[in-house]
Amino acid sequence: DAGVIQSPRHEVTEMGQEVTLRCKPISGHNSLFWYRQTMMRGLELLIYFNNNVPIDDSGMPEDRFSAKMPNASFSTLKIQPSEPRDSAVYFCASRSGPDTQYFGPGTRLTVL
Amino acid sequence: GQQLNQSPQSMFIQEGEDVSMNCTSSSIFNTWLWYKQDPGEGPVLLIALYKAGELTSNGRLTAQFGITRKDSFLNISASIPSDVGIYFCAGSMTTDSWGKLQFGAGTQVVVTP
């Protein structure tokens, strides 16, 4: 079975540009999570969805960040405009059983 | 950010030695999970614990859910070079029924031949 799929794996962009990260959860999973990982702050939960509905977006840093889940097999995380401090690895995870989450390989974002 | 205290931050061990790490929380958790992250990859689930006092093994890995529900331990026996990586604990609080996890800061394990 395919795991969580994320694209792109690497993204380098310039400050002010729009960035869109994509995620395909494991088929049949009904919860999807977006995380950000940095050396300073570790793994931070940004937002999560249950049955395509955003449940908690309290971790989203600011209005420049937005996330959507138009259907059960696809989600996007958008940053507009991007800033150098947004540089991090962004992970998507999906959930099957109680509390067990399966992570994708991540997108390494560098904002110059 | 992390609300779990994970220790140690790093470990340098020789191949064949056992490894122990733990996580503590000021809050009660109803689930503890242990993940391993290799460089350039996402965390991979190793062991999931759902009951206080539960002891679960996965090969050379053994994890326990503390009786107080505020801590968990992970042991790796007879370490081998491929055990190198960062190990994270994660917990889900009793009142959170949506599976929102909190993560520890990680334990970096380095195994030398």
Side-chain angles (χ1 to χ4, degrees):
Chain A
D1 285 343
V4 175
I5 298 172
Q6 290 187 249
S7 64
R9 291 295 309 272
H10 301 273
E11 176 82 28
V12 180
T13 190
E14 291 187 343
M15 183 173 63
Q17 296 297 307
E18 177 180 296
V19 174
T20 299
L21 311 182
R22 296 172 176 80
C23 175
K24 177 177 168 54
I26 294 172
S27 177
H29 286 194
N30 63 350
S31 297
L32 183 141
F33 304 77
W34 281 101
Y35 291 87
R36 178 172 67 177
Q37 186 178 42
T38 61
M39 287 293 291
M40 291 297 294
R41 299 176 65 87
L43 266 168
E44 300 175 277
L45 178 65
L46 301 177
I47 185 172
Y48 70 99
F49 297 82
N50 204 53
N51 293 322
N52 312 338
V53 175
I55 300 300
D56 185 345
D57 65 354
S58 59
M60 296 286 261
E62 46 198 275
D63 292 346
R64 297 183 298 106
F65 285 69
S66 63
K68 293 182 180 179
M69 190 163 187
N71 57 62
S73 59
F74 183 66
S75 177
T76 59
L77 177 68
K78 186 175 292 188
I79 308 172
Q80 166 63 20
S82 58
E83 297 182 3
R85 60 190 167 128
D86 302 330
S87 298
V89 181
Y90 291 81
F91 289 105
C92 174
S94 67
R95 183 168 76 106
S96 62
D99 304 311
T100 52
Q101 294 180 23
Y102 296 86
F103 284 75
T107 295
R108 182 173 293 276
L109 174 65
T110 302
V111 183
L112 303 173
Chain B
Q2 295 100 30
Q3 298 185 28
L4 299 182
N5 293 315
Q6 185 172 350
S7 65
Q9 280 190 317
S10 59
M11 304 185 71
F12 293 81
I13 59 172
Q14 285 197 322
E15 186 175 355
E17 289 184 341
D18 295 346
V19 176
S20 292
M21 61 195 79
N22 69 83
C23 258
T24 59
S25 168
S26 57
S27 305
I28 289 176
F29 282 173
N30 67 348
T31 301
W32 282 97
L33 306 172
W34 285 92
Y35 288 85
K36 182 192 178 200
Q37 186 176 21
D38 291 327
E41 301 294 331
V44 174
L45 182 66
L46 297 174
I47 293 180
L49 302 159
Y50 301 107
K51 284 187 194 177
E54 181 180 354
L55 186 71
T56 298
S57 292
N58 178 6
R60 292 178 296 105
L61 277 60
T62 301
Q64 184 161 26
F65 192 141
I67 290 291
T68 65
R69 301 172 73 183
K70 292 184 177 182
D71 58 5
S72 181
F73 304 86
L74 176 70
N75 295 312
I76 307 172
S77 62
S79 59
I80 59 178
S82 62
D83 291 332
V84 165
I86 303 177
Y87 292 79
F88 291 97
C89 63
S92 177
M93 295 175 69
T94 305
T95 58
D96 186 343
S97 61
W98 292 102
K100 182 176 173 180
L101 294 177
Q102 296 176 35
F103 282 83
T107 295
Q108 172 117 40
V109 172
V110 177
V111 180
T112 56

